[in-house]
Amino acid sequence: MNKAFYPRLAVTNIKKNKSIYVPYLLAGSLIVSLFYILSSVTYMVSHSNIKGGGTMGIILMFSTWICGFLSLIILFYINSFIMKRRKKEFGLYSILGMEKRHISIVMLWEVAIAGAISIFCGIASGALFSQLLFLLLLKIVGLPSALTFQIPLQSIFSTFILFGLGFAVVLLFDIIGIIRSNPISLLHSTKEGEREPKSRWLIALIGAITLGGGYTLSLMVRTASDAIGAFLFAVVLVMIGTYCLFIAGSIVVLKFLRKNKTFYYKPKNFISVSGMIYRMKQNATGLANICILSTCVLVTLSSTVCLFIGEEDILQGKFYRQVQVNSIASEQSEELMEAAAENHAQRYGFEVKNAVGYTGLSFAAKRNDDTFQINKIYNADTYEMYALNLQDYNRITGADLSLKDGEVLVNISGTPLNGNTIQIVNSSYKVAGTIAPPKYISTIGVGNGVYIVVPTFKDLQHLSNNLELTNSNKDGYKLWYNYKYDVKGDSEKLPEFYESMRDAYNETVPHLGMVDNIDSARSGFYQVYGSMLFVGIFFVTLFLIAAVLIIYYKQITEGYDDHDRFQIMQKVGMSDKEVRSTIQKQVLMVFFLPLGMAVVHISVAFRVLCKMLMAFNMYNTTLFLLCTLGAVLIFAIFYLIVYQLTARTYYRIVQNKA
């Protein structure tokens, strides 16, 4: 046999099946391009010597390999659609006399050609746009940028190795599939699923229970630490429930519609419902995948955009004043701290404004009923406790509350107290009332937390002494005096002012602890949250590519499967208009179900997502709600466009106009 026979046949096959290979090559190139761009941007960030590049580089590096892993899964999934569509063709080759090893050689050339085109086009387009996206990243994080064209060789190498191995494994699976099949089964592979599926009530019931369990778990979350612990388990339950309900629940629902004679015995409903019953065996998994991917898009888009838009709010939440300093508390702390702040500010011509100071005690505790003991190991059940005295609380909040000896005011997140008494280590206090969390204190965020206001400074010292007596790590239970303030003056002197701040305080304030300012922290914040948005854009793009391709191939597969059926219906009297209307109704019934289910998923998950965002100090629920609604609206419009395009292709195939 001529050596050029196999490559020529492979090229001919690809051209002949261009309706499925063109989207495959386009998607493959985009996936390769996304990985290369992330890899090259990671390299450019790591070698650019920009401030904060280390943190950004770590975020990008992990995201690159997660992107690569997801890309390979998508590549395998898309390839399975193509192989399913071409099984009949391979069966025909066998009938005509080609042995399986000959078919395997043809497949080798087809995968090699597809892989080479995808990798070459992906790297070429990635090299073209990677520099622009690097500049976009720097723009997002607020760093100065300059256009310098780079093509990192290690990114080309890692992209080539990853996707070269990916296409090799795809080929291996394809060849194993051909070897394990026989020509007759290949010829009739497109007729699989013609038998009516049974109503599998047990699987539908399992789906309803697991989905309900995942939803209940999400709705029962009370704190950020609960959310972090419960989220993964809830996601697994919801995914199991989604697959079970699409696979079995959809059949149950369709058969229920068929029993409704008023609805079923109409030409449009008859064709749509009966067709879907026979196709759900193949459709269900694909629709569940679309639903899961759609949910991933909505969650990723809404959360990353919310964090990026709200990063200034997050920063302001951690820095209620421009400068914050603390030291181990003493009777002279307030006087020494105020004097040091004034003296240092005057050196640069600044004026100290909006100063606020208070003494506080923070520690981790484990809870047993209404008793809190020191906890040396931090876990999801740990309570973060923060105590301050009434005088400081009234001053920083503007309240006018009073307490008697032995009484405390409490604010607790998580499970409320069972009684009106709270015991902390060896001391018991009567709860005189509840309070709002003081806004100047942002210690409690991720986990369960308790704010306690004791009557006097001596009560605070007594609590600190008790903690020290019951633990060897006495330094962990000191009282700290916190001083926060703004400065007014020439902003150009701020960098020098910040640089000399710690040395200035060390001159007069003993046991100095934290010295921080909002402007220095801002760049770090923007780099972390900007990098997360940048990575989020890539993952949203990846999920969209997968969802669109699944929808497209599903439409093509369904179009060919329904072609003969609709031809028969036209011969028995259905008009072209009726056929088009029936097609649109069927597509609407099938492909908008995943979108609706995804919207339900994110609606139920909204509470747990809000709690998880608190781990990033994002407490603006209204902003996250708006971002979620915006993400749903944008994705719904995009989904509608995809539906219109794929429905047109489906109609052309069914009407034999392709």
Side-chain angles (χ1 to χ4, degrees), residues 231-372:
F231 183 72
L232 184 60
F233 188 48
V235 167
V236 172
L237 288 177
V238 170
M239 289 179 68
I240 293 173
T242 301
Y243 279 107
C244 289
L245 287 179
F246 270 100
I247 291 171
S250 58
I251 301 296
V252 172
V253 172
L254 286 168
K255 287 193 173 182
F256 175 79
L257 292 175
R258 191 172 65 177
K259 289 181 180 178
N260 186 342
K261 300 186 185 306
T262 306
F263 173 82
Y264 184 66
Y265 287 109
K266 293 178 180 178
K268 298 176 183 175
N269 297 339
F270 177 82
I271 297 299
S272 299
V273 174
S274 62
M276 285 313 306
I277 289 176
Y278 284 94
R279 295 291 180 266
M280 279 313 294
K281 185 176 181 181
Q282 289 85 0
N283 277 335
T285 305
L287 296 178
N289 287 330
I290 295 170
C291 177
I292 298 298
L293 288 168
S294 300
T295 308
C296 291
V297 169
L298 294 177
V299 170
T300 306
L301 188 61
S302 58
S303 55
T304 54
V305 171
C306 177
L307 285 174
F308 180 71
I309 295 175
E311 60 186 355
E312 189 62 30
D313 288 342
I314 296 171
L315 189 64
Q316 295 293 339
K318 290 185 71 68
F319 290 84
Y320 291 103
R321 294 291 186 263
Q322 192 173 352
V323 176
Q324 53 187 28
V325 187
N326 70 6
S327 66
I328 294 177
S330 67
E331 293 182 357
Q332 295 80 32
S333 289
E334 181 176 356
E335 181 182 350
L336 291 174
M337 199 73 85
E338 288 179 3
E342 289 288 348
N343 290 335
H344 180 239
Q346 287 175 5
R347 294 178 194 172
Y348 297 89
F350 289 142
E351 176 187 357
V352 175
K353 298 177 60 180
N354 306 320
V356 58
Y358 59 90
T359 302
L361 169 66
S362 66
F363 58 97
K366 56 183 176 183
R367 179 179 180 178
N368 181 12
D369 197 9
D370 290 347
T371 299
F372 293 84

Side-chain angles (χ1 to χ4, degrees), residues 24-40 64 67-68 70-72 74-75 78 114-127 130 155-167 538 541-542 545:
Y24 176 59
L25 295 174
L26 182 61
S29 301
L30 283 173
I31 289 171
V32 173
S33 179
L34 286 175
F35 178 82
Y36 172 81
I37 290 172
L38 263 182
S39 177
S40 61
T64 300
C67 175
L70 294 176
S71 298
L72 293 182
I74 295 171
L75 190 65
I78 297 171
I117 292 174
S118 299
I119 293 174
F120 175 78
C121 293
I123 292 177
S125 59
S130 59
S155 297
I156 294 177
F157 180 74
S158 59
T159 305
F160 181 80
I161 293 296
L162 177 69
F163 288 96
L165 289 174
F167 278 103
F538 275 80
T541 306
L542 196 62
I545 290 172

Side-chain angles (χ1 to χ4, degrees), residues 211 215 242 245-246 291 592-602:
L211 186 66
Y215 282 179
T242 301
L245 287 179
F246 270 100
C291 177
F592 277 88
L593 187 60
L595 177 62
M597 196 78 172
V599 173
V600 173
H601 284 347
I602 195 169

Side-chain angles (χ1 to χ4, degrees), residues 45-62:
V45 167
S46 302
H47 292 78
S48 60
N49 296 322
I50 57 178
K51 187 178 180 181
T55 304
M56 294 169 61
I58 291 172
I59 294 174
L60 291 169
M61 182 183 68
F62 278 108

